[in-house]
DNA sequence: CGCGTTTGACCAGCGC
DNA sequence: GCGCTGGTCAAACGCG
């Protein structure tokens, strides 16, 4: 299907990324997983494309093939036409040898120019692919969710498996609020809408909190949705529009609530990384840090600063048990163009969030009753493992586990890796109540055995770019988007899995860390 | 000096 | 109502 704009290129990587990243605790960037590797490799790929026209053609044909398959995305770039034209010019000659030599030289020059043009087109094509990947992922997620839901209906009616039924019953019990909000868009009262309600009553708020500047700041922010100071300006605008004409336009409501839900939906990525954060190509600014309950490691809050007003935020926290595992939770969608390096993670998280959204909103009844199981089945058409859906969190969260510790793939019901993480005491308590909140299965990505989701990807000898290419291959080979999702993310987490504990623990609410997030 | 991080405080939601 | 917790803010601070 889609190919990430990353080459299968050679071993020379980004020079700023040393190969041996050990023993560099004072340089956080050194140990970070570098997404920009692929960008460098992109240029390299261009060079190879220039020298190998066959490769260019194949890539183009692949795109056409994709269009024929299911995506329906027309890049509008016809690389083959240009080359066939040049080929035609080579056909008819037969004059003298000198003429042929001259002609061949001219053709060489022309060919090189065409190759240059083709390379440029390829570059543009790759960028377009990166952008369209995002949209396509979302669409495919939704489609798969719908299909799986139908299948789920049928399956439930036919067999009535006890396991599934139990799971669903538990699931319906354990998600009293979150998926109600998700499942019934029209009835959803999101936090943003509540915020809007507050903001729509400015006098009381202002008077009540007149003594506090904070209230005034909040008011200012929310009363100026067009200003860029508010990171959630767009949702607020939508909510206000919603409130003003709530009964008029149903589609607008759905869209706005969908956006709100998308923003609330979170995509959590568990990955082994000694770096304080995952370098995903975006620019993040830290705006807070807190001690999470039940976890000695602090939780850092980041905000996307690539564009003013970008609502995307992420939380970075280390696993309590295994501090080499970094849990990065993304929330929101970027409202600005992203560099290719940031596209990987952004598209992945967006797709996952959209799947979370679609699975819970496609059918208010079924999605309401059995959301988690639906997700589990949606994302796990194969027997292998994938991602987990959490409904216990305040926000619906899809967790992509890229750690090799996600074991126990044998048992269908007990292989929830998140249950093995006692750092989330809330989860543990919920589990003790007999309500497993994670119906899905974590992605099982074994770096030693180089397999995940039933796909054989030799990652052992691959570097980051090659892993991305492997991910691309996985996408092309397997329609299961979950696998593709995992592959894309796996390519991100390529760094050595050495343990590094750079977090200092204090009893204070705020903890000093040496986190560096400059890119 | 500008920008990013730190960190104490504030706020809302939730459970009791 | 109170306390806990997650999330956020912004002044203070540090660094290049
Ligand atoms: Zn952004």
């Amino acid at each position: 299907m889609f190919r990430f704009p990353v080459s299968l290129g050679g071993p020379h990587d980004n020079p700023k990324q040393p190969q041996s990243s050990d023993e560099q605790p004072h340089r956080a960037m050194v140990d970070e997983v570098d997404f920009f590797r692929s960008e460098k490799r992109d240029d390299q790929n261009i060079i190879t494309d220039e020298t190998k026209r066959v490769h260019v053609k194949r890539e183009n044909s692949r795109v056409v093939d994709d269009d024929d398959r299911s995506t329906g995305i027309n890049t509008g770039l016809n690389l083959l036409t240009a080359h066939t034209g040049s080929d035609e010019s080579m056909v008819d000659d037969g004059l003298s040898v000198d003429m042929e030599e001259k002609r061949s030289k001219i053709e060489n020059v022309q060919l090189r120019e065409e190759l240059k043009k083709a390379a440029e087109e390829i570059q543009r094509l790759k960028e377009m692919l990166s952008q369209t990947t995002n949209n396509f992922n979302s669409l495919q997620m939704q489609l798969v969710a719908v299909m799986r839901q139908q299948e789920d209906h049928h399956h439930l009616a036919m067999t009535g498996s006890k396991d599934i039924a139990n799971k669903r019953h538990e699931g319906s019990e354990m998600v009293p609020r979150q998926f109600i909000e998700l499942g019934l868009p029209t009835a959803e009262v999101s936090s943003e809408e509540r915020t809007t309600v507050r903001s729509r009553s400015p006098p009381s708020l202002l008077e009540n909190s007149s003594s506090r500047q904070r209230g005034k700041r909040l008011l200012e922010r929310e009363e100026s949705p067009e200003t860029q100071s508010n990171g959630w300006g767009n949702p607020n605008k939508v909510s206000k529009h919603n409130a003003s004409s709530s009964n008029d336009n149903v589609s607008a409501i759905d869209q706005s609530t969908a956006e709100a839900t998308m923003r609330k939906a979170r995509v959590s990525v568990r990955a082994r990384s000694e770096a304080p954060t995952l370098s995903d190509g975006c620019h993040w600014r830290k705006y807070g840090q807190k001690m999470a309950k039940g976890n000695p490691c602090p939780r850092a809050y980041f905000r996307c600063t690539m564009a003013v007003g970008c609502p995307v935020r992420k939380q970075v926290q280390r696993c309590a048990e295994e501090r080499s595992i970094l849990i990065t939770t993304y929330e929101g969608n970027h409202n600005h163009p992203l560099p290719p390096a940031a596209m990987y993670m952004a598209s992945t998280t967006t797709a996952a969030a959209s799947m979370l959204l679609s699975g819970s909103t496609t059918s208010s009844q079924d999605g309401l009753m059995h959301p988690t199981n639906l997700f589990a089945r949606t994302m796990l058409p194969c027997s292998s493992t994938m991602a987990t859906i959490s409904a216990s969190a305040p926000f619906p969260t899809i967790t992509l586990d890229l750690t090799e510790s996600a074991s126990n793939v044998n048992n269908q019901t007990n292989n929830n890796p998140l249950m093995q993480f006692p750092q989330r005491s809330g989860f543990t308590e919920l589990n003790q109540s007999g309500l497993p909140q994670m119906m899905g299965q974590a992605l099982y990505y074994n770096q030693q055995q180089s397999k995940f989701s039933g796909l054989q990807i030799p990652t052992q000898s691959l570097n980051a770019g090659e892993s991305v290419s492997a991910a691309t291959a996985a996408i092309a080979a397997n329609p299961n988007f979950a696998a593709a999702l995992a592959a894309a993310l796996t390519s991100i987490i390529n760094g050595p899995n050495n343990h590094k504990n750079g977090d200092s623990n204090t009893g204070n609410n705020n903890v000093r860390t040496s986190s560096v997030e400059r890119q």
Side-chain angles (χ1 to χ4, degrees), chain A residues 15-32:
Chain A
K16 91 174 184 183
Q17 178 87 6
Q19 294 299 325
S20 64
S21 59
D22 297 341
E23 307 298 325
Q24 304 267 358
H26 55 288
R27 301 280 299 181
M29 281 300 294
V30 170
D31 295 333
E32 276 192 16

Side-chain angles (χ1 to χ4, degrees), chain A residues 285-304:
Chain A
R285 177 171 182 168
K286 190 175 183 178
Y287 66 90
Q289 180 168 300
K290 294 220 72 165
M291 287 300 300
K293 182 187 65 177
N295 193 341
C297 301
R299 175 185 301 164
Y301 299 91
F302 293 92
R303 172 182 294 129
C304 177

Side-chain angles (χ1 to χ4, degrees), chain A residues 191-201 235-236 239-240:
Chain A
S191 58
E192 285 72 24
E193 286 179 354
R194 285 191 289 267
T195 305
T196 307
V197 169
R198 285 202 312 271
S199 67
R200 274 192 281 109
S201 60
N236 277 336
S239 299
K240 283 183 179 178

Side-chain angles (χ1 to χ4, degrees), chain A residues 282-284 304-307 310-312 333-338:
Chain A
C282 283
H283 292 171
W284 302 96
C304 177
T305 58
M306 290 197 73
C310 180
V312 176
N333 294 322
H334 295 278
N335 59 357
H336 53 86
L338 289 169

Side-chain angles (χ1 to χ4, degrees), chain A residues 198-209 219 223:
Chain A
R198 285 202 312 271
S199 67
R200 274 192 281 109
S201 60
S204 61
L205 177 65
L206 190 58
E207 287 168 5
N208 288 339
S209 62
L219 183 66
E223 275 192 339

Side-chain angles (χ1 to χ4, degrees), chain A residues 329-357:
Chain A
T329 303
Y330 294 88
E331 179 180 352
N333 294 322
H334 295 278
N335 59 357
H336 53 86
L338 289 169
M343 266 299 180
Y344 308 143
M345 182 62 84
S347 62
T348 302
T349 55
T350 302
S354 71
M355 179 170 186
L356 199 60
L357 171 66

